[in-house]
Amino acid sequence: GLELKLVEMIRNGQENVAIADRLHHWMRRLLSTLDTAQLPAALTEELQHQFLIPQVALRLWALPQASAQRLEGQACVAAVSDDVKSFAASLSAAFCGGNHGFEAAGWLGEAGHVQSMAMIALKQGEEAFGLLVLGSPDPTRYSAEMGTEFLARIGDIASAALARLRQA
């Protein structure tokens, strides 16, 4: 019994190291992206690549005019409804669960295939200025029962990186 527990602890430790390595690579990409106009794409592409996320979408609002103009034409600055903004502001933790026709699911390339999703509010202080959406065709990938601590860290890092776009 002790041997099985030891093997399980070793496996969990190895999984944690792998996750830490992926997080490190993602953060390094964010820090090395100097052109803020490229930051949203770098954030979503590297997140999708490192964590094998089938679909990732990002929306930002309440940006200074200069930043909004630099990002013009990118999906990340497409208009969002007041409902989405209110939903993001109300999130104290990442939402994980099934795709129940959320507006944000429509931001994903193949929204009809999304069975589960995670939505992470991007905040500066208490103010929400964006929403990061992760989608999967696997109905169990993002479930209401899963822990959201790791997703909270992703949200904190993404918020800090994207805060550069909110500076006047």
Side-chain angles (χ1 to χ4, degrees):
L2 290 175
E3 253 182 54
L4 288 175
K5 286 185 181 196
L6 181 61
V7 168
E8 185 178 340
M9 287 175 58
I10 291 170
R11 184 182 54 78
N12 286 337
Q14 290 170 336
E15 287 176 5
N16 287 341
V17 167
I19 289 171
D21 285 345
R22 290 182 187 124
L23 190 62
H24 173 79
H25 289 289
W26 180 60
M27 287 180 13
R28 189 175 62 205
R29 172 88 184 269
L30 294 177
L31 291 171
S32 65
T33 302
L34 302 178
D35 182 354
T36 56
Q38 295 176 8
L39 189 57
L43 185 148
T44 56
E45 290 167 6
E46 192 69 16
L47 184 67
Q48 188 171 13
H49 172 74
Q50 289 298 327
F51 296 98
L52 306 174
I53 301 169
Q55 296 188 60
V56 177
L58 172 69
R59 291 295 185 273
L60 303 169
W61 54 85
L63 295 176
Q65 186 175 359
S67 291
Q69 286 175 338
R70 287 197 53 149
L71 298 172
E72 190 173 340
Q74 295 186 36
C76 66
V77 291
V80 299
S81 70
D82 288 338
D83 288 342
V84 168
K85 293 175 184 178
S86 294
F87 176 74
S90 73
L91 288 176
S92 58
F95 167 87
C96 295
N99 177 7
H100 302 292
F102 291 105
E103 177 182 334
W107 306 343
L108 299 166
E110 297 178 19
H113 296 249
V114 175
Q115 296 296 310
S116 66
M117 52 194 302
M119 293 184 277
I120 307 163
L122 303 175
K123 296 184 175 184
Q124 196 169 28
E126 293 299 312
E127 180 189 0
F129 68 92
L131 190 66
L132 181 61
V133 181
L134 316 177
S136 175
D138 177 357
T140 62
R141 172 99 186 234
Y142 304 108
S143 68
E145 297 80 34
M146 73 183 292
T148 58
E149 188 173 315
F150 179 67
L151 294 174
R153 287 198 169 105
I154 286 177
D156 287 345
I157 293 166
S159 295
L162 293 167
R164 290 188 271 166
L165 291 168
R166 293 184 43 105
Q167 297 170 351

